[in-house]
Amino acid sequence: MRALFPLLLAGALGACTLGPNFETPESTHLDAYNQALRARGVTMESRPDPRWWSEFHDPVLESLIERTVTNNLTLQQAVQRVVQARQGEAAARAAGLPTIGGSGSYTRQQLGLRGILQSRGAFDAARGLRGNTTLDDASPGLSDRAADALSNGLNAATRPVNLFQAGFDAAWELDLFGRIRRSEEQANAQTEAAIESSNDALVTLIGDVVQTYSGLRAAQALARAQEANIAAARGLLGLTQRRQRDGLSPQIDVENQRAQLTSYEAQLQPFAAQAQQAMNRLAVLMGRPPGLLDDELGPPRPIPPAPPRLPVGVPSELARRRPDIRRAEATLHAATAGVGVAIAQFYPSVSLTGNLGLRGVEISALSSWANHFYSAGPTISVPIFQGGRLTANLTLARSQQVEAALAYRAAVLNALGEVEDSLVAYRTDQAQRDKLRQTVASTRTVLTLARDRYDNGLGSFIEVLDAQRSLVAAQQQEIRATLSVTNDVVSLYKALGGGWSQQDWAAMAEAAAPSRTPLPFVRP
């Protein structure tokens, strides 16, 4: 063993690592987003703001995000998955270290020797010694004493015995072919994938909060606009009633306007329901029961306006910013390491094992070194026939590597597509919102003119109704278009991976203050 151990140790230190080494995939070579040059306010000259939601300049929204990131239950579950992955990483790392264990035992054994000794004639031989006259006459009774001693020895050997034992055992697998190192590499990559999953959950959560909050403010804006329309419809109903009493308008004008008023009042209720549902949704995202945010969020505020300038960076940075792409890369890394693990299983496994302890038929024997025992030596396990299991594992690992590589490519293409789609939606919704603002101004003027003509007896009430309906529809469309533009900004930042790159993590952690959003779930 003394001669073999240095050789085994030298082999372990110079061991090879089987399987392919992971290389970071190349990022996209695109120089610019196709739609970035066509959308107003979009620039690629700088990176997106890591705290992009602050560009809306809404302190209520910022406070909501801070509390939601801290208390969201889904995000906390993602953090626990990171904790679990780290423990798997620690377990894989421990597989390459020696293991030492202690043991103690007590057994009462019946060895079953009586039948064996009887079959061999041992007891008959002991009886044959008694009274044997062929022994030396100078030692009278020697045959009797020998017979008694032999009989007593045989009887003692066939009785049950107590066996006490205590000791230590140790084992160390020498990672000659890198199976343990590849397993550790695989576990590390799986931990990185779990971290990126939590980052992705964080990006999604912040986007959901902003979009839900914007939907709340849009519902409140629609309700306010509808209340103004109801008030205007009541005024117009009073006007038609006076004209009807004066004989200037028929009763049908009064009934048409009353129907229009009740229609507006009926349309008000869904807007109130939408606002309440949005507040409930924000409370749940924050990990609180529905209704706890009603007093805080009940007072209306404007829809968060889109910032005048949107920096998006360049496509080559997208792979470093998007958590789902980094997760796909970590998954590919884990699959690549898995190929090395599968290859190493074809090679011998060498372990150093040993044990040391004390044993005896009485417990007091455990205190005497004379009762010690030990064993030590290498153990070599060579796979000879596995029924195709090792080959199947290797084929499976290589297939998983190819699948992970395809998933990475798909994640990159999907990210580019999401950014381009968000830019298209942002550009077109901006144009639609601007046109609808002009439409609202024009229809408001038309309604004013129609009412003046009707009041002076120069126009029909149908003109007033048409203008009124057009104004209400245009106002609602404008509010919804404003919400769409804000949601497009959120979708764009989500498509950009939240706005930050890998290099931004350290800066964000350093700049974080108690009044800022804590980011305990990410690391540089």
Side-chain angles (χ1 to χ4, degrees), residues 75-371:
L75 197 56
Q76 291 179 14
Q77 294 176 49
V79 174
Q80 291 306 311
R81 285 191 287 272
V82 174
V83 173
Q84 296 163 17
R86 290 193 189 281
Q87 301 317 303
E89 183 179 347
R93 187 164 49 250
L97 302 175
T99 60
I100 301 175
S103 63
S105 65
Y106 160 75
T107 58
R108 183 170 177 80
Q109 299 178 351
Q110 170 57 268
L111 301 179
L113 295 178
R114 178 174 290 277
I116 299 175
L117 295 175
Q118 286 178 345
S119 67
R120 300 298 182 182
F123 289 97
D124 294 337
R127 286 192 295 270
L129 288 177
R130 188 176 300 278
N132 189 341
T133 58
T134 63
L135 295 176
D136 188 357
D137 292 336
S139 303
L142 179 60
S143 61
D144 293 338
R145 289 196 300 272
D148 291 340
L150 181 57
S151 296
N152 292 335
L154 292 175
N155 290 330
T158 58
R159 285 196 294 268
V161 297
N162 297 323
L163 182 62
F164 298 89
Q165 181 171 313
F168 299 91
D169 57 81
W172 181 23
E173 180 179 351
L174 302 179
D175 193 21
L176 299 179
F177 301 102
R179 183 187 65 82
I180 296 176
R181 289 193 295 276
R182 288 300 190 194
S183 296
E184 182 179 349
E185 179 184 355
Q186 185 179 39
N188 294 342
Q190 290 170 344
T191 299
E192 291 298 326
I195 291 174
E196 296 306 339
S197 293
S198 68
N199 292 340
D200 196 26
L202 176 63
V203 171
T204 301
L205 174 63
I206 293 176
D208 289 346
V209 171
V210 178
Q211 289 184 329
T212 304
Y213 178 81
S214 301
L216 165 64
R217 298 313 184 190
Q220 291 174 337
L222 288 168
R224 290 199 310 272
Q226 196 67 8
E227 289 170 352
N229 293 329
I230 290 172
R234 286 199 182 106
L236 187 56
L237 176 60
L239 173 61
T240 55
Q241 288 174 335
R242 288 194 302 270
R243 287 179 60 84
Q244 190 273 335
R245 287 194 300 269
D246 295 339
L248 300 176
S249 297
Q251 182 65 27
I252 191 174
D253 289 353
V254 176
E255 298 305 324
N256 281 333
Q257 184 57 28
R258 182 175 286 113
Q260 187 76 2
L261 174 60
T262 57
S263 175
Y264 289 166
E265 290 173 340
Q267 294 175 19
L268 180 62
Q269 302 309 312
F271 301 143
Q274 292 172 13
Q276 184 61 57
Q277 290 169 349
M279 288 188 287
N280 292 342
R281 173 63 176 162
L282 289 170
V284 171
L285 287 174
M286 196 182 292
R288 299 289 184 266
L292 290 187
L293 298 178
D294 291 1
D295 293 339
E296 177 183 355
L297 301 179
R301 291 180 64 89
I303 300 174
R309 183 173 176 273
L310 289 179
V312 297
V314 295
S316 59
E317 298 177 347
L318 191 60
R320 295 295 93 198
R321 276 202 302 263
R322 292 260 307 207
D324 60 333
I325 296 180
R326 296 199 300 268
R327 180 181 60 215
E329 180 181 330
T331 302
L332 176 58
H333 189 174
T336 303
V339 174
V341 173
I343 294 176
Q345 290 177 345
F346 284 87
Y347 290 79
S349 173
V350 180
S351 299
L352 298 179
T353 60
N355 59 75
L356 171 67
L358 299 167
R359 68 163 62 101
V361 296
E362 296 179 354
I363 193 170
S364 60
L366 301 183
S367 62
S368 174
W369 182 248
N371 296 304

Side-chain angles (χ1 to χ4, degrees), residues 8 32 55 71 82 192 272 280 307 390 449 470 483 489:
L8 293 174
E55 295 296 323
N71 301 306
V82 174
E192 291 298 326
N280 292 342
L390 300 182
L449 295 176
S470 298
L483 174 63
V489 173

Side-chain angles (χ1 to χ4, degrees), residues 40 423-441 473-486 488:
R40 187 173 71 249
L423 289 171
V424 170
Y426 180 64
R427 173 173 58 83
T428 55
D429 288 342
Q430 271 186 317
Q432 183 186 33
R433 180 200 57 190
D434 296 342
K435 293 297 182 182
L436 287 171
R437 285 176 177 173
Q438 297 175 7
T439 302
V440 169
Q475 287 175 332
Q476 293 179 355
Q477 290 174 356
E478 181 196 3
I479 293 172
R480 292 191 174 96
T482 302
L483 174 63
S484 295
V485 173
T486 299
D488 292 338

